């Protein structure tokens, strides 16, 4: 990778998925993967002991809008061949979160030191895929324009529970005019494996959000006088569920620090 | 047709398009065609002298959301073969409006007495088609539940002009919860020839509607505390444009009193 930040950014945008994973593995990339390896699917990560992995799989199946699983490892294995060649789930994300009994106990640039032979990794589709489609359709993304993380909120929408896994759906929010929101529904509905159509719009109060400036994850963005907030189910939902379900051990990605896979966004478009 | 009103209503719902047209022609049907000949496409009517018909055709092409033309007569002819066998545009609607210099001067059950050899009839797709799809998707339609005409409003959205034809878009409004609105966008987007996806939602003030209870056409409906108003482009737009463009002569349907065609709603579904 080039050392000049602007050159590096352009290089990373056009980099292959493998190049980004290797850069994460080597420690050259330590932050948000938004805008890297354009065209490739990025994924949220949730890792659990095998003992409760069946419960999480069922939880994901029951909550496909927030937890669309696009890949899963065999117990103890750090590769997921369907998502990438030369892929090591314990080193190839920029930053990880380690959870014990539902508490966030550490953020680590790789998790080899805490990896266990009984862990199962789930990779969950991510909104970066549909954001690429939104940009191609000419729709604005306020957080991208501002260079911040997307605004995320815990809602009062209960996920369908499975075993210990239960809790509120987390949503991401993008401000759009009503006409843009209608177009965004149509564009993102074509990507059901990466959260798909919005789950809510216009009335944050109805899903338990009293102040849009008070985010639970990410960064707030202004909503213009001619705009409405549009909400999509978010792959950070497992982190909110971990806090509620308190499994003895879990690993996730740090918000924004995704796994870049070899799958293409275009593979996920339907219709 | 049976004489008992309830039997008649059930008969008309399952009647063929031809049966409904003949009943209009004979004077047995004189009111709203909503709910009749289920499965068949109904159309809005706009009739102009040939001299300005080219302008209206261009106007419709430039405003496909509000004026999606599904059929057009040859000058002076009262048949439109592509929309139905045994179809007489001057007799087969329940009620017509006659306009002179932009003023509504008459409502007539047939327009043979004012028909002219230079008239061209345009039939424009109608929301009844996508409403059928909404009902099949389990979405509620408040005006149907209440047995009233849909609520319609003139907006501050300017149609793209063509010759003398210019004026505001008319929209129909259906109250839905935000989640239902998102589903309704996806369902109705599949019907581009019958107005397609909504043009606006949630914020009536942004399109010049200050009071949802003050309709310009049809009947008002209550919007629940957990609902938002969702707005679709409406085939009544030509009537608002006639009032603004003041052509010397025009005929339209009376709102709700449509032409029932032999085309099937399913023919108009895409994707």
């Amino acid at each position: 990778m080039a050392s000049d930040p602007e050159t590096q950014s352009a290089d990373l945008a056009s980099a292959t998925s493998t190049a980004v994973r290797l850069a994460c593995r080597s420690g050259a990339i330590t932050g948000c993967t938004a805008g890297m390896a354009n065209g490739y699917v990025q994924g949220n990560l949730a890792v659990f002991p095998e003992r409760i992995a069946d419960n999480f799989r069922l939880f994901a199946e029951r909550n496909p809008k927030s937890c669309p699983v696009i890949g899963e490892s065999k117990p103890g294995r750090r590769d997921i061949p369907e998502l990438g060649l030369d892929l090591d789930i314990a080193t190839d994300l920029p930053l990880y979160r380690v959870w014990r009994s539902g508490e966030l106990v550490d953020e680590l640039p790789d998790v080899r030191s805490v990896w266990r032979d009984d862990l199962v990794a789930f990779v969950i589709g991510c909104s970066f895929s549909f954001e690429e489609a939104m940009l191609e359709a000419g729709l604005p993304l306020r957080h991208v324009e501002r260079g911040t993380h997307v605004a995320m909120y815990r809602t009062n929408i209960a996920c369908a529970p499975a075993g210990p896994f239960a809790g509120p759906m987390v949503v991401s929010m993008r401000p759009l005019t009503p006409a843009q929101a209608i177009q965004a529904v149509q564009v993102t509905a074509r990507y059901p494996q990466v959260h798909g159509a919005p789950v809510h719009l216009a009335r944050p109060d109805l899903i338990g959000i009293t102040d849009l400036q008070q985010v639970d994850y990410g960064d707030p963005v202004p909503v213009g006088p001619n705009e409405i907030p549009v909400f999509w189910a978010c792959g950070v939902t497992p982190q909110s569920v971990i806090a509620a379900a308190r499994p003895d051990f879990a690993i996730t990605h740090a918000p924004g620090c995704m796994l870049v896979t070899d799958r293409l966004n275009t593979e996920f478009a339907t219709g």
Side-chain angles (χ1 to χ4, degrees), chain A:
Chain A
M1 299 288 153
S3 56
D4 173 65
E6 281 199 16
T7 311
Q8 185 181 29
S9 171
D11 284 355
L12 288 169
S14 59
T16 64
S17 50
T18 309
V20 173
R21 286 200 302 276
L22 292 176
C24 292
R25 197 181 300 176
S26 73
I29 297 174
T30 56
C32 183
T33 53
M36 295 184 183
N38 283 338
Y40 290 98
V41 171
Q42 301 197 22
N44 302 276
L45 181 67
V47 180
F48 298 102
E50 187 179 7
R51 188 176 52 76
I52 55 170
D54 283 348
N55 284 130
F56 184 77
R57 192 180 302 103
L58 192 60
F59 177 81
E61 286 168 4
R62 289 178 177 169
N63 299 279
K65 294 279 280 188
S66 50
C67 299
V69 172
I70 59 171
E72 181 183 334
S73 70
K74 291 192 166 56
R77 304 235 5 170
R78 287 159 39 185
D79 60 337
I80 305 181
E82 68 268 30
L83 294 184
L85 299 171
D86 191 10
L87 183 160
D88 182 341
I89 206 74
T91 62
D92 289 1
L93 282 72
L95 194 62
Y96 298 82
R97 288 182 158 184
V98 180
W99 307 75
R100 294 184 192 278
S101 301
E103 301 289 330
L104 175 61
V105 294
D106 215 349
E107 286 201 339
L108 297 173
D110 80 62
V111 286
R112 284 175 297 179
S113 62
V114 294
W115 194 262
R116 303 174 358 185
D117 283 346
D118 68 338
L119 294 181
V120 176
F122 295 89
V123 179
I124 293 164
C126 153
S127 57
F128 292 167
S129 299
F130 74 65
E131 287 188 341
E132 187 170 285
M134 286 177 69
L135 289 172
E136 282 172 11
L139 293 165
L141 291 170
R142 182 79 28 86
H143 66 286
V144 173
E145 292 161 6
R146 295 164 64 94
T148 61
H149 290 290
V150 73
M152 292 169 271
Y153 308 86
R154 277 188 295 271
T155 67
N156 64 9
I157 304 172
C159 293
F165 293 104
M169 180 190 288
V170 175
V171 294
S172 60
M173 188 278 285
R174 293 160 188 81
L176 296 168
T177 68
Q180 290 167 342
I182 289 164
Q183 191 186 355
V185 170
Q186 297 173 69
V187 168
T188 61
R190 296 182 61 227
Y191 294 84
Q193 283 182 283
V194 287
H195 305 308
V199 292
H200 190 75
L201 49 72
R203 290 280 305 276
D205 57 305
L206 296 180
I207 57 171
I209 300 171
T210 52
D211 181 356
L212 287 171
Q213 295 310 303
Q214 297 296 318
V215 299
D216 293 305
Y217 310 89
D219 303 303
V221 286
V223 179
N226 296 346
E227 294 178 329
I228 56 173
V230 184
F231 300 94
W232 279 263
C234 178
V236 170
T237 299
Q239 301 190 30
S240 135
V241 168
I242 286 168
R246 309 178 66 80
D248 58 356
F249 185 74
I251 299 169
T252 67
H253 68 292
C257 300
M258 302 295 179
L259 174 70
V260 179
T261 78
D262 290 355
R263 303 288 299 274
L264 297 173
N265 288 329
T266 49
E267 292 177 57
F268 285 80
T270 63

